Amino acid sequence: MTSTSVAAEMESVSELSVAQLPAKIHVIDSHTEGEPTRVVIDGWPQPQGATMAERSDDLRTRFDHLRRAVVCEPRGHDAIVGALLTPPVNPDSTTGVIFFNNGTYLGMCGHGAIGVVRTLQYLGRIQPGTIRLDTPVGTVSAELGHDGSVTIANVPSFCHARNVSVQVPGVGQVVGDIAWGGNWFFITHDTPIAVTAANAKELTRVTQAIQDALNAAGITGANGEAIDHIEISAAPIRPDADCKNFVLCSGGEYDRSPCGTGTSAKLAVLYARGEIALDARWRQESITGSLFTGWLTTNERGELIPHVRGTAYVTAEATLLFDEADPFRGGIPSA
Ligand code: PYC
């Protein structure tokens, strides 16, 4: 976003926020393998819709100012993924959840789902066992272990296209696979620069350039859906890992965890390439050195179901305040 459009957006945000921001929103913060999640517990009006996708659309249409106020600076920051809990849409589910970030809404979020489960446990609403969460892209199940680990059984995932080549200005030709893991991913074959935490800024620049080049070339997921996550795979550093990744998320920030939907997409690609068997364990290391363990099963329709295990920790319980006199109460849009 240019500085002029940020300024224009800030003006409209602050106009909107005068009338429409509640005085308080109660949130629980956690991190899953380093990646933060902010679960909204109350203070945010419920979206309308018979499906989670309709509710997500309603959030975008009527409550987008709340997204910015809750996750953007000065109350949040670019890496936070927000999660709004709703009543479930399926009778067997415990809750509905809509994930959002500094820029947009997500179909699913693996680290976020793990954070939601640990938050529900913290609130005393669930015990170890299996629950189901309704998301805009389908229902996922989540098993909370006695050791605090959470295993997500994600939405059906698949490899959409292999060996897709794109010319990236300033980088050169990049080849990768396109896969769905609850969000759309382009997963590179090569490592244009070393996947180390010290290179995070440069990795962000390069992955953003890849995303821009995919958009410019009209390369999409199925049904023309935008590819809004770029994943670079590299050899692991941890001796107990199979692969290390860097994932650029849809809001332009990178995932501190190995990315649950990104790990799911990676598993679908490995399977399509005949490089992993059903039930075989895959240990995905993140840019921060944290780890998810993943594996694949199939459902009754023969679709691939990725399972992703990780751990989240609650870091804060807070009441966000929106002082009417605060010029930044509507949040500062990300640059
Ligand atoms: O864990 O799926 C994930 C995720 C998506 C964006 C950030 N984290």
Side-chain angles (χ1 to χ4, degrees), residues 35 106 109-111 229 249 255 259-261:
E35 178 74 351
L106 286 82
C109 180
H111 95 267
H229 290 73
C249 301
D255 198 328
C259 192
T261 51

Side-chain angles (χ1 to χ4, degrees), residues 7-327:
E9 196 179 341
M10 276 173 63
E11 248 169 54
S12 67
V13 166
S14 83
E15 275 163 27
L16 256 179
S17 57
V18 176
Q20 298 176 359
L21 280 175
K24 296 178 178 183
I25 292 183
H26 184 194
V27 299
I28 309 282
D29 285 355
S30 61
H31 78 83
T32 305
E33 308 296 350
E35 178 74 351
T37 307
R38 173 165 285 174
V39 181
V40 176
I41 300 304
D42 59 39
W44 184 320
Q46 279 296 322
Q48 287 169 4
T51 66
M52 293 306 298
E54 285 172 9
R55 292 177 186 176
S56 179
D57 288 345
D58 190 43
L59 277 194
R60 192 188 293 273
T61 309
R62 293 197 300 137
F63 300 121
D64 205 44
H65 57 293
L66 293 181
R67 174 188 62 75
R68 280 182 293 229
V70 166
V71 293
C72 291
E73 293 180 21
R75 291 169 191 78
H77 55 83
D78 283 352
I80 290 187
V81 170
L84 178 70
L85 301 182
T86 74
V89 291
N90 289 305
D92 294 344
S93 298
T94 300
T95 186
V97 57
I98 299 167
F99 296 106
F100 50 92
N101 63 20
N102 54 334
T104 188
Y105 298 82
L106 286 82
M108 223 307 267
C109 180
H111 95 267
I114 292 170
V116 165
V117 169
R118 288 284 276 170
T119 295
L120 294 175
Q121 180 187 30
Y122 170 80
L123 291 169
R125 296 186 190 174
I126 62 168
Q127 302 296 323
T130 301
I131 63 164
R132 286 156 65 89
L133 310 172
D134 294 331
T135 80
V137 293
T139 299
V140 302
S141 75
E143 186 189 342
L144 171 63
H146 286 277
D147 61 356
S149 68
V150 178
T151 307
I152 303 294
N154 198 358
V155 293
S157 299
F158 57 94
C159 178
H160 172 64
R162 283 161 52 175
N163 306 325
V164 177
S165 163
V166 63
Q167 195 61 36
V168 183
V171 178
Q173 192 189 53
V174 178
V175 181
D177 303 313
I178 298 172
W180 171 256
N183 296 298
W184 281 106
F185 287 80
F186 181 81
I187 305 178
T188 65
H189 292 179
D190 305 314
T191 314
I193 43 174
V195 176
T196 61
N199 282 344
K201 276 198 176 141
E202 186 58 4
L203 285 159
T204 302
R205 191 190 65 74
V206 167
T207 46
Q208 187 62 63
I210 296 173
Q211 180 159 28
D212 293 345
L214 289 169
N215 288 341
I219 297 171
T220 66
N223 306 316
E225 287 180 50
I227 298 167
D228 55 5
H229 290 73
I230 309 296
E231 179 166 346
I232 293 185
S233 294
I237 292 177
R238 286 174 63 138
D240 58 348
D242 297 296
C243 179
K244 185 175 174 87
N245 70 14
F246 175 91
V247 179
L248 180 76
C249 301
S250 51
E253 193 51 55
Y254 68 90
D255 198 328
R256 277 69 170 160
S257 83
C259 192
T261 51
T263 299
S264 299
K266 175 79 182 178
L267 287 165
V269 164
L270 289 167
Y271 189 78
R273 292 187 164 279
E275 292 171 12
I276 196 167
L278 294 178
D279 282 324
R281 289 333 188 228
W282 178 263
R283 287 157 297 263
Q284 184 69 57
E285 182 180 355
S286 74
I287 188 70
T288 59
S290 57
L291 198 79
F292 279 158
T293 301
W295 64 96
L296 291 166
T297 57
T298 51
N299 66 11
E300 59 291 347
R301 291 186 295 278
E303 298 165 316
L304 285 179
I305 302 296
H307 301 252
V308 178
R309 176 174 295 159
T311 303
Y313 300 90
V314 171
T315 54
E317 175 168 4
T319 303
L320 305 181
L321 303 178
F322 302 94
D323 184 337
E324 281 196 9
D326 178 356

